[in-house]
Amino acid sequence: MRTMRAVRQTAFGGPEVLELVEIPVPEPGEGEVLIEVSTAGLNFADTHTRENSYVQESHLPLVPGAEVAGVRCDTGERVVAMTGGAGGYAQFAAVRKDRCFPIPEGVDDATALALLIQGLTAWLLYDQAHVRDGESVVVVSGAGGVGSLAVQLGHQFGAGRVIATASTEDKRALCLELGADAATDTSPDGLTDRILRANAGEPVDVVFEMAGGAVFEECLGALAPFGRMIAYGISSKEQNEVRTGKLLRRSLTVTGFWFGHCLDRPGMVAAALEDLYARAAAGRLRVVVGATYPLTEARQAQVDLAARRTQGKLLLDVSR
């Protein structure tokens, strides 16, 4: 029986539940392929999965990790793939064929992984928000994996003004470097007023929000009539309730977006990913790689991610 190194958890909880172990190499089932993983991607959702507090229920024992880059064992082709939410923090992963995509020549693992779940999320946020030419867009956490790509896509998708939020001066500087017209502190105290000032005193048309809690409320307060807000995360772990009267008073739209619902729509995903690769190849999209951790440091990677110490795409090198 072949074995592999993997990060596994047999309980839900803090980073301490993540353990480096030796376990059997998974056997691909019908419609699946086995990938020898070179690099695994980290996403904020991994921290929720670890606690079983995510949209999708988790089951133990669990190998975390929703995305991998590596080589198909049956064809030798370099690919990037979505695991469906678990199985990525390991030297091998069994994935569905329709969630597996070839990596174009000249594209490295970091770029391929950044453009997979996080890049697709950024692309689909604009698609789902129906952003019109000249509209103002706010990207909460604009220096993160999704945010750094959403900031860059703003003007390319027709936005007239892109406003980013970020927690530190360095992160705000990165947002401006990536193409944001303005960047402000993410702190909820006074956030509505700061967003309005960043938009020349006017309310905004679209907000991409992933924090929840007070940040959600402040962003909602900054929306113009017929404004749209897409909530695609709850990093604060503070859920919100929206009253219908508040929506009616300004004809607002609040939408939820969970990338997991895209997994069974490979056609939609493939077309968007092809577009992202083309933009990156043309130099119109820059992937920000924050850090690469060895597999042995998966705990620390999740700690740093949850503590907002990172920016851009985080990776695990499974060979170390």
Side-chain angles (χ1 to χ4, degrees), residues 42-55:
L42 287 109
N43 295 280
F44 199 91
D46 295 351
T47 65
H48 291 296
T49 298
R50 188 192 70 227
E51 301 168 336
N52 200 23
S53 61
Y54 196 45
V55 179

Side-chain angles (χ1 to χ4, degrees), residues 270-313:
L273 188 59
E274 184 178 349
D275 181 72
L276 287 166
Y277 280 143
R279 291 174 193 270
R284 300 173 64 198
L285 206 55
R286 169 187 159 195
V287 169
V288 178
V289 179
T292 300
Y293 296 79
L295 189 64
T296 55
E297 294 297 324
R299 286 184 185 178
Q300 189 60 51
Q302 287 203 9
V303 169
D304 292 346
L305 180 59
R308 304 292 185 190
R309 297 177 190 143
T310 64
Q311 59 187 29
K313 184 62 183 173

Side-chain angles (χ1 to χ4, degrees), residues 10-268:
T10 56
F12 296 117
E16 69 280 356
V17 302
L18 301 177
E19 299 178 321
L20 187 66
V21 295
E22 196 83 12
I23 60 175
V25 172
E27 291 286 342
E30 185 176 352
E32 293 184 334
V33 295
L34 186 66
I35 295 177
E36 184 172 2
V37 180
S38 54
T39 313
L42 287 109
N43 295 280
F44 199 91
D46 295 351
T47 65
H48 291 296
T49 298
R50 188 192 70 227
E51 301 168 336
N52 200 23
S53 61
Y54 196 45
V55 179
Q56 176 180 326
E57 185 179 359
S58 300
H59 302 280
L60 299 171
L62 170 69
V63 173
E67 57 184 356
V68 297
V71 175
R72 277 183 58 160
C73 294
D74 58 343
T75 65
E77 182 182 29
R78 283 186 69 230
V79 294
V80 66
M82 295 176 286
T83 67
Y89 292 13
Q91 291 179 305
F92 290 88
V95 302
R96 277 174 38 175
K97 287 182 182 178
D98 62 359
R99 297 176 181 175
C100 187
F101 307 93
I103 299 177
E105 187 175 350
V107 175
D108 59 23
D109 285 0
T111 300
L113 284 166
L115 295 180
L116 190 59
I117 292 177
Q118 292 176 334
L120 285 170
T121 297
W123 195 101
L124 291 166
L125 285 173
Y126 281 97
D127 180 68
Q128 295 300 302
H130 306 291
V131 175
R132 304 179 184 92
D133 287 348
E135 288 191 317
S136 50
V137 175
V138 175
V139 180
V140 173
S141 200
V146 174
S148 62
L149 294 166
V151 163
Q152 295 177 72
L153 288 172
H155 292 303
Q156 296 181 42
F157 275 69
R161 188 165 180 79
V162 178
I163 300 164
T165 78
S167 59
T168 68
E169 287 188 16
D170 286 348
K171 291 182 178 182
R172 291 191 285 275
L174 174 62
C175 293
L176 296 173
E177 184 183 330
L178 292 175
D181 298 292
T184 187
D185 188 358
T186 307
S187 172
D189 293 338
L191 180 57
T192 298
D193 291 337
R194 292 197 302 277
I195 290 174
L196 296 180
R197 286 199 299 272
N199 198 41
E202 297 295 324
V204 296
D205 300 301
V206 176
V207 176
F208 300 142
E209 206 287 300
M210 45 67 66
V215 171
F216 178 100
E217 297 295 345
E218 291 288 313
C219 288
L220 193 64
L223 282 173
F226 297 103
R228 289 94 69 203
M229 182 159 72
I230 299 187
Y232 70 99
I234 320 172
S235 64
S236 68
K237 302 179 184 177
E238 298 174 6
Q239 297 199 37
N240 297 81
E241 294 183 1
V242 179
R243 297 180 65 85
T244 51
K246 182 176 286 190
L247 300 180
L248 292 172
R249 275 192 289 274
R250 281 178 287 146
S251 297
L252 302 180
T253 299
V254 177
T255 304
F257 176 83
W258 179 47
F259 185 79
H261 289 135
C262 303
L263 293 176
D264 292 321
R265 299 177 184 230
M268 179 178 71

